[in-house]
Amino acid sequence: MEPNGVLVVGSITADVTAFSRRLPRRGETVLGEDFTLVLGGKGANQAVTAARAGAPTWMAGCVGKDPFSDIVLSGLRSHGVNLSEIRSVDNRTGVAHIRVDASGENDIVITPLANWDLSVEMVDDSIDAVRDRVAVLLLQLEIRTDVARHAAEAGARAGLTTVLDPAPAQSLPEDVWRHIDVVTPNESEATALTGVEVVDVESAERAAAWFLERRVRHALITLGSSGVLSVTAERTRYFPAYPVSPVDTTAAGDAFTGSFGAALASGLDIDSAIRRGMAAGALATTVHGASPSLPDRQSVDELISLYPSVDGGAS
Ligand code: ADP
């Protein structure tokens, strides 16, 4: 059987969120209204989405030895992510410290902690361990950039389709791009990386050209409620978004990439994989929170069947 799994090399955090009517001013204390503690991190969110989409999914990442590790590991396990490539290191589990006000405005401090302990050797061992079972490697930038760079190269060498979500945006060594099959920046990440201010389909196309010049094979610029621009050397296609009523757009990008990666790994053609990513991204905006909003395969199927006409046309 062809390998149909997904390996995510990335971050795992405990998302510690306080909800208050308004955010405190500098130095001020306010009383909050609610509090949640859930699994997060871009890597973990993409792994959960891929697993919920039905792909056999492994996550290579690090957690610490503390009470937060039990919370994040049980979160990953409960969504069906395989934990064999997760290391427990002598550190504390990464934390995202989030504050949200009544209007949904938020600020976030991410402390990587154990995520910075993920090493190139661990990545090599994980790729070796699962290479017969996975077809797609998903990467983001909440781990050390040298490790992400190495993972792209090692994944490409192992014959995996490498997908980089360049978030949070930061400059990368020039030689990373030629190992990337698909890059999936949103508008602000594409702007930060390419210097082209992405505000519409036309500017997205110019940003996509920057990636292709660096030998990325396929640029998928995600445009929030405007959908996706897909650019390869052969063709440019625009996919309008699925119409939904968003309440919280957090993790739409992670849902997009996780669902897209799972679909590619299952052998679907690229346009169908883009549609499945877009449907997952749209659904993630209809539920509050990050990991609680990541959709499963059935809800993606349902949204796609409601709108069979969402199709990529030439831009
Ligand atoms: P990020 O969360 O990284 O900023 P986007 O906001 O671009 O990423 O979302 C990823 C994808 O999810 C979009 O390309 C789109 O297909 C879908 N999506 C996001 N927001 C909406 C929305 N408001 N309505 C419909 N689809 C959306």
Side-chain angles (χ1 to χ4, degrees):
M1 198 179 88
E2 287 290 306
N4 62 349
V6 172
L7 172 64
V8 181
V9 172
S11 60
I12 306 168
T13 61
D15 282 6
V16 177
T17 309
F19 298 85
S20 54
R21 207 168 42 76
R22 63 176 178 82
L23 296 179
R25 284 187 290 273
R26 207 176 161 83
E28 186 193 18
T29 302
V30 298
L31 288 181
E33 272 151 15
D34 199 6
F35 171 82
T36 57
L37 174 52
V38 296
L39 168 68
K42 286 192 171 294
N45 288 343
Q46 294 185 10
V48 165
T49 313
R52 287 172 68 83
T57 303
W58 286 263
M59 167 117 211
C62 290
V63 297
K65 294 192 167 76
D66 58 2
F68 281 172
S69 69
D70 299 335
I71 292 164
V72 297
L73 291 176
S74 73
L76 286 163
R77 191 184 297 113
S78 70
H79 292 297
V81 177
N82 195 311
L83 305 186
S84 63
E85 301 310 314
I86 294 182
R87 277 80 173 178
S88 171
V89 295
D90 283 324
N91 200 338
R92 285 161 298 151
T93 302
V95 173
H97 195 188
I98 307 167
R99 304 184 302 184
V100 185
D101 74 10
S103 72
E105 197 68 39
N106 63 42
D107 54 27
I108 305 177
V109 177
I110 296 180
T111 319
L113 298 168
N115 290 302
W116 248 230
D117 291 335
L118 185 68
S119 67
V120 297
E121 292 78 19
M122 291 175 189
V123 169
D124 284 340
D125 288 348
S126 290
I127 290 176
D128 278 350
V130 301
R131 63 187 295 169
D132 295 342
R133 287 168 286 172
V134 307
V136 169
L137 173 67
L138 298 185
L139 293 167
Q140 323 76 33
L141 300 177
E142 285 181 348
I143 55 172
R144 284 178 9 217
T145 41
D146 62 312
V147 176
R149 196 211 72 82
H150 178 84
E153 183 177 0
R157 206 179 324 115
L160 309 182
T161 298
T162 56
V163 180
L164 173 66
D165 183 4
Q170 51 200 293
S171 59
L172 291 170
E174 277 289 313
D175 68 345
V176 72
W177 299 110
R178 63 194 160 96
H179 303 300
I180 304 298
D181 291 302
V182 188
V183 68
T184 63
N186 68 11
E187 288 153 304
S188 64
E189 291 144 9
T191 299
L193 286 163
T194 67
V196 175
E197 192 169 350
V198 178
V199 290
D200 54 15
V201 170
E202 191 273 324
S203 48
E205 194 166 350
R206 283 186 283 122
W210 185 96
F211 294 105
L212 265 62
E213 279 159 20
R214 283 159 181 77
R215 296 174 53 195
V216 174
R217 273 155 287 286
H218 194 158
L220 290 178
I221 316 284
T222 70
L223 304 168
S225 59
S226 296
V228 167
L229 187 72
S230 157
V231 181
T232 63
E234 289 75 37
R235 61 175 197 173
T236 296
R237 306 232 290 164
Y238 170 66
F239 294 77
Y242 287 95
V244 288
S245 301
V247 296
D248 173 4
T249 59
T250 317
D254 292 337
F256 173 84
T257 307
S259 177
F260 168 77
L264 269 192
S266 76
L268 281 183
D269 64 273
I270 197 100
D271 289 0
S272 306
I274 292 170
R275 271 184 221 108
R276 296 196 74 82
M278 291 180 52
L283 289 165
T285 71
T286 64
V287 178
H288 282 285
S291 60
S293 74
L294 300 169
D296 63 10
R297 180 192 193 112
Q298 196 188 337
S299 37
V300 169
D301 286 344
E302 280 166 11
L303 183 59
I304 288 179
S305 67
L306 278 179
Y307 297 100
S309 61
V310 169
D311 203 355
S315 78

